[in-house]
Every structure is written in C-alpha cells, then in structure tokens.
Amino acid sequence: MSDSSPAATPPPRSRLDRRALWELLSSMRFAIALLTVICIASVIGTVLRQHEPAANYVNQFGSFWAQLFLAIKLNAVYSAWWFLLILAFLVTSTSLCIAKHAPKYLADLRNYKENVRAASLQAFHHKAEAHLAETAAQAAQRVGEQLARSGWKVRLQERGDGWMVAAKAGAAHKIGYLAAHSAIVLICLGGLLDGDLIVRAQMLLGGKTPYTGGGMIADVPAQHRLSLSNPTFRGNLMVAEGSKSGTTVLNQSDGILLQELPFTVELKKFIVEYYSTGMPKLFASEVVLHDRETGEALEKRIEVNHPASYKGIEIYQSSFDDGGSHLQLRAVPLAAGAKSFEIEGQVGGSTTINTGEGKPPLQMEFTGLRTINVENMGNADGPTDVRKVDLKSTLDNHLGAGNKVLTPKELRNVGPSVSYKLRDASGQAREFNNYMVPVDTGDGVPVYLWGVRDTLADQFRYLRVPADENSSWRGFLRLKSALQDPAQREKAVSQYVTASVGTDRPDLREQLHASALKALTIFAGGNNERGEHVAGLQAISDFMEQNVPEAERPKASEVLVRILNGVLFELMQQARAAEGLAALPPDEKTQKFMTQAVLSLSDVQLYPEPVVFELTGFEQVQASVFQVAKAPGKTVVYLGCLFLILGVFAMLYVRDRRVWVWLAPRADGGSDARMALSTNRKTLDVDREFEGLSEKLLGVKPVGGH
C-alpha cells in the first residue's frame, strides 16, 4: 500500500544558497572573525614600518620576505585592497546584523508583554504570592501607581478573570546593543572615508597614477595630481621660511600623488624652544594662508596639538627640516700630503669634487644641517686601555652610534652637525654625518664624531677622532701622516728603544728595535697574502694568529701592543717637534689621548672616503613640515565613538527588567496576587530589588526567600 499524498517540494537550491549567505553575513560570529583579522592586520601595520622604500625591507628581512611583504601589501596595510575589502565586509556584516535584530528590539521596546498567561508566572525565578484585602481593580490601580512612582513604565490590562499589571524598566539596554553595533559601522565608514579608498578610486576611475620621478613640483604632469574637489586626503607639506607652497604630497607605496590646496601656506617664521638639556619643548609656525579664490590672507599660528583649520582642511605641525641653508665647508684630506680646499653649497643642492689625480670625481649632495643635536651622553665605566684589549674584538667596539653609552642616561646638546652624500660615477652613494664640536662620550677624551652609512636603512657608524689640546683634529692627522712615513717610523722606533733600553745592551736593543719596527710597520698597513690591504689592530691580530701559538697569544699581544703604544707616543712627539710645537707631557690626559688615538688610527682604515668635510660657516634657513588633512570621516568617527561609549555603558550597567502582577478576585471581596520579575542578568542587586518590590507592592517576602 503506497502513500498517495503528494511529496513536499523542496525549496530551490538558489534560495537555500541565498539564505545561507544571508545567515553568514548577518551572523555576529562572522563579524567578530572579521574584526579579529582587522586587529591582527592593524598590529602588523603598527609593528612593520609602512611606505618604506623597497630596499629597506630587503636589507631588514632579506629578499624572499621582502618580496612576500610587498606582494601582499604588508608595507601599506591600511591602504591594501584586502584590508579595505575586509573593512567593507565588516560594515556589511554588522549592518545586516543590525537590520536583522533591530525590528525585534524596537518592537520589544514598545511591548509590555501584558498578555503573558497568569499560570506561567509560576515558572519565573523571582516570584511572590499574597492575599490582599483590596479588590482586584483597586489593587491593580495601587500597584500600577507605586511602580510608576518608582520609575517603571506601567500598563494595566483587565481580563474577565482578573487584572494584569505589566511594567518594564531598563529598556536602554537594548538601545545600547543597537548603539554599540552602529558605532562599529560608523567608525569603519569614517575610516573608509578618511583612508585611501577614495584616492584609489580616483586612481582607478580617473586615470591618476603615482609619480616616481624627480624635479620641480610645478613640472609634474596632470595625471599625477588630484583636483581641488577631492573630498578626502592626508599628505605632507614642507614650507621654507619666507616661501609659499600650496601643493601637498600624498605618499603611495609606489610613488607620490600631488594634491592641490584651495590656499597657499606662507611660512613667516618657524619657532623652536628648548629645555636646558637641549631637548625641544615647543615647535610652532607663524603662517599666512592665502586664499586662491578671494585673495584673502589669514594669519595663523600652528603648534603641535594645536592645528589651524581653513575650508574644512586641518593643518598640523608635524616636524621641521632644513629649508635650503647655505653651507661653507672645508675638505679635510685623510691621506698624507693632500691639501685641503674650500667649497660652498646649499642644502638640497649638489656639486662635483675631485679627490686626487687619476681618481674619478665624486658628486657631493648637501643633505642637511642641524644646529641642535641631543644625544644620550651617560658616563662610561672608564677609558679603554689599548694595552689590555682583546685584539680580535676591538673593531666592533669603536664604530657605533654617537650615543652608544646608555647608562646612566644624560641628555646633552652636542652642537651642530652637517650631513652630505658622496656619489660615485656608478651612482652608488654613501651618506655622511659629521659633528662639528668635539664631544665627550663618557671616557674623558673629547672626540670628533664622523659618521657614515651605506644605505638609509642602516644606522650611522661613527669614527671617533680625538681632539688635541687646541680642541682640534689636526693633532690626530699629524700623527696619522707621520705613521705613513717610513723614515719617521724608523726614527721614532730608535728613540723608543733608546729611552727603554739605553745603549749598554746592544743585543736587547737590536731585538727590541726589530720587534718595535715590525709592530709599527704592520700597524701602518700593507697587503696580506690575499692581496687585501690590512692595517691597524686587525693587522696586528692577523699577524699574531699566523705567527704565535694560541696559548702564548694573550701575553704576546699585551707586550706587542704596549710596545706599539710607546712607539706611537714617540712618533707623536717627533711630529710635533717637526712643526715647532711643545712636547706633550707624560700625564694622564696625554695617556687618554694616545689611547683613543691608537683606536682611531686603527678605525680610520675602515673609513670609506679619503676626505672629510668640516663645517666652517652657514646661513640657516628653517622649514616647517605640516600634515595637511581633509577628513570628512572624522565627524563620523567621533559620532561612532560616542555611540560606542553610550552603547557599552548601557549594555554593561543598565539591566532590562520586567515585572508582572496578576490580581484575581476572591469570593470574600479581596484578591489573590501573584508577582514575577524577569531580567537579562541575575545579580544580587536584582534579588534585593525584587525583595523590596514584593514587600512594597504585596507586603510579603518572595517565595523561597527570593
């Protein structure tokens, strides 16, 4: 026997798919998952420096990881297509979630649920019963008035068999849910409005492309410029003192875009104030805004955290830079016999210099001037004694940052510095940063700091050149020049041997002479077996490894370096005498100078160029760097933050409560009362509140002690 009833027709597959998609997108779990991914991406964007040149990522992470980061846009997380897509999905998901639950919550706000069955009140956790002398109508009126006076919203319902009093309080809890979720939508929308989404849309739909070349801003073609009608942007604007600019630069991962402003910014004066340590305490710019349309000029003062606002555009004081200072420099040749020469230039400009006959010229680019440099100059444990150092590890200890001493912390202004680049014929450049005043880095010997780095991603490595009694580097170069002269080396060794041994022991004298001359010659430098030029302490170390058994090296190296130190002292005295200068006294100050001089003579072999430039004069021109932003989404974000605060407060601190009191008439003219309370959170406060309500309304304690 078969069932003749027609089989139920299943819904179409497409309808099921749409319903499943709707359930996924409107699911709060999906929104939380998206929010988690956005948080992780934001952490990456905070830790990993954004919009850096590709070479910086290669230097820091290696070629493989750098290519991976660039491919998935981790170098520009907040403008990456996948980040904006996730943000858009989060907005969509949260909006659908609100749309799904809002009607129910709004209807619940209007509903008193007075139609609840009287018998169902027995199932509530908080309940109470009582016999009242009043009639059901009188009791309902009294209970309703008492609840209303206590802040409850009340509705009375008369039924055939009695009266139902329904009251509610804390409805703002559900409004808090809607406000908190709406806040997420508003904050994300504000972020999308103020992010790169609109700029990227103009690049995609308007044919705008990033500019990767150089030259003057006025010469950049129109396809790299955004119009005045652009609703949102955030860029940088640098203005030198006495000049104007009305075009801000928007940095992109693959170039820049230019944004025209409806006004130009004229910098009248840049103001910087310092603490006694040299740390800046105030940056401020006195500017004049010139309206392009009306010609109106408005004077403004811009400080850090105190921006100027004009035509919906905020101008923030971001930092400061050099605006094209004029520099006078003197070339200090490091090679013996070379002559110094003078050059002039402007920060941002360049010139060609010759470093010697038969050598290709170098392009010198003037990159910066800083008149104030604050370094951490804590006291060191003491000077390094070259007679007691480990020869194999000396090089890493003497080339480092100018503020390498970390404890105790002592901030100090160490004077002006000048920076420049030297670019060879192949286009490769090194950047140099030289301090113009000798600095005491903690060991009691003032030194000139001459810094160099091969790429922008590297930290500067500083050569420390000791200052002589006249606070000059010339004493060091005098010693270096004498070291390169074989005749002077021979004479200094003879004087050292005579002072150490005398003339009555010719065998010991001959042995010491050979050892001292050998040590000084090795230290002065020469080619090793591989044809590489090696000098300084590294050459001494290599010699010891090749010629002295390992067990004897510590003692032999101490003796050899002590001999070297003594011969170099005689060489210094000899070089001073040749120029008619008085001999250095053999005191502690001279010993510290010679200790640093030995280290510097060793390190100078690693200095990549044969010339150092010393600042002899300058005319400073300062420039302000502003961040210029048109952020219509800011108001939306502020509104979202307000909604979030109110929503979270309402959800955490407002309890949604409902009370029902059923009043049924009795034959003796009184009434039977049954009371119940429901709440979204069970707490001790709710227990106490219900106990107070039951005693106030019914005159009894809750059933079961509740």
Side-chain angles (χ1 to χ4, degrees), residues 37-301:
V37 175
I38 288 177
C39 291
I40 294 173
S42 299
V43 170
I44 295 174
T46 302
V47 174
L48 185 66
R49 297 183 65 177
Q50 302 288 284
H51 297 289
E52 290 285 305
N56 290 8
Y57 298 107
V58 174
N59 292 334
Q60 187 173 0
F61 301 104
S63 177
F64 172 78
W65 291 109
Q67 291 180 10
L68 179 62
F69 291 166
L70 295 176
I72 60 179
K73 298 293 185 181
L74 289 185
N75 65 316
V77 169
Y78 305 112
S79 59
W81 64 268
W82 53 265
F83 185 84
L84 298 177
L85 184 63
I86 294 174
L87 207 60
F89 266 107
L90 179 61
V91 171
T92 302
S93 177
T94 310
S95 300
L96 292 177
C97 187
I98 295 173
K100 181 179 179 181
H101 294 92
K104 181 178 66 175
Y105 285 173
L106 293 177
D108 200 41
L109 289 174
R110 298 189 296 268
N111 188 3
Y112 287 80
K113 298 184 179 181
E114 67 274 15
N115 294 320
V116 65
R117 292 185 299 112
S120 65
L121 299 183
Q122 286 293 110
F124 283 80
H125 178 72
H126 296 91
K127 56 190 176 183
E129 295 181 353
H131 300 292
L132 304 179
E134 306 161 288
T135 65
Q138 292 173 340
Q141 188 67 29
R142 176 183 61 80
V143 169
E145 290 177 354
Q146 288 178 324
L147 286 172
R149 285 195 296 269
S150 299
W152 294 73
K153 294 183 178 180
V154 183
R155 178 171 291 181
L156 303 181
Q157 183 189 58
E158 183 180 8
R159 300 180 185 176
D161 54 348
W163 285 78
M164 176 64 75
V165 179
K168 63 180 182 178
H173 173 81
K174 290 184 172 60
I175 298 178
Y177 173 90
L178 298 176
H181 289 75
S182 299
I184 296 177
V185 176
L186 291 174
I187 292 173
C188 291
L189 285 176
L192 288 172
L193 285 175
D194 290 349
D196 283 354
L197 184 63
I198 295 178
V199 172
R200 288 191 170 274
Q202 294 182 66
M203 294 170 60
L204 181 64
L205 304 176
K208 303 296 183 181
T209 58
Y211 181 68
T212 58
M216 303 294 291
I217 288 181
D219 299 330
V220 177
Q223 65 265 28
H224 309 302
R225 297 175 178 269
L226 301 176
S227 68
L228 288 172
S229 59
N230 184 16
T232 176
F233 59 85
R234 187 179 299 273
N236 296 318
L237 176 69
M238 189 176 83
V239 187
E241 284 181 326
S243 65
K244 301 178 183 178
S245 180
T247 305
T248 185
V249 177
L250 281 61
N251 290 319
Q252 303 294 310
S253 58
D254 50 351
I256 63 169
L257 292 171
L258 300 182
Q259 172 65 57
E260 298 293 340
L261 301 176
F263 53 85
T264 59
V265 180
E266 179 185 2
L267 179 62
K268 303 296 288 186
K269 185 179 181 182
F270 176 75
I271 303 168
V272 57
E273 297 178 2
Y274 299 93
Y275 292 105
S276 58
T277 60
M279 288 289 289
K281 67 177 180 180
L282 172 68
F283 295 146
S285 299
E286 294 181 357
V287 302
V288 179
L289 305 181
H290 299 273
D291 192 296
R292 293 181 187 268
E293 184 177 353
T294 64
E296 181 183 7
L298 297 175
E299 293 188 359
K300 299 277 188 178
R301 181 182 172 93

Side-chain angles (χ1 to χ4, degrees), residues 178-190 633-648:
L178 298 176
H181 289 75
S182 299
I184 296 177
V185 176
L186 291 174
I187 292 173
C188 291
L189 285 176
K634 181 178 66 174
T635 304
V636 180
V637 171
Y638 287 164
L639 181 61
C641 292
L642 177 62
F643 276 24
L644 185 62
I645 294 171
L646 296 177
V648 171

Side-chain angles (χ1 to χ4, degrees), residues 523-534:
F523 187 81
N527 293 333
N528 59 16
E529 297 177 353
R530 297 185 298 271
E532 301 170 340
H533 183 78
V534 182

Side-chain angles (χ1 to χ4, degrees), residues 561-578:
V561 173
R562 180 171 293 149
I563 293 173
L564 176 65
N565 213 19
V567 176
L568 287 172
F569 178 73
E570 294 296 337
L571 188 63
M572 169 62 81
Q573 301 288 45
Q574 178 181 299
R576 292 176 63 87

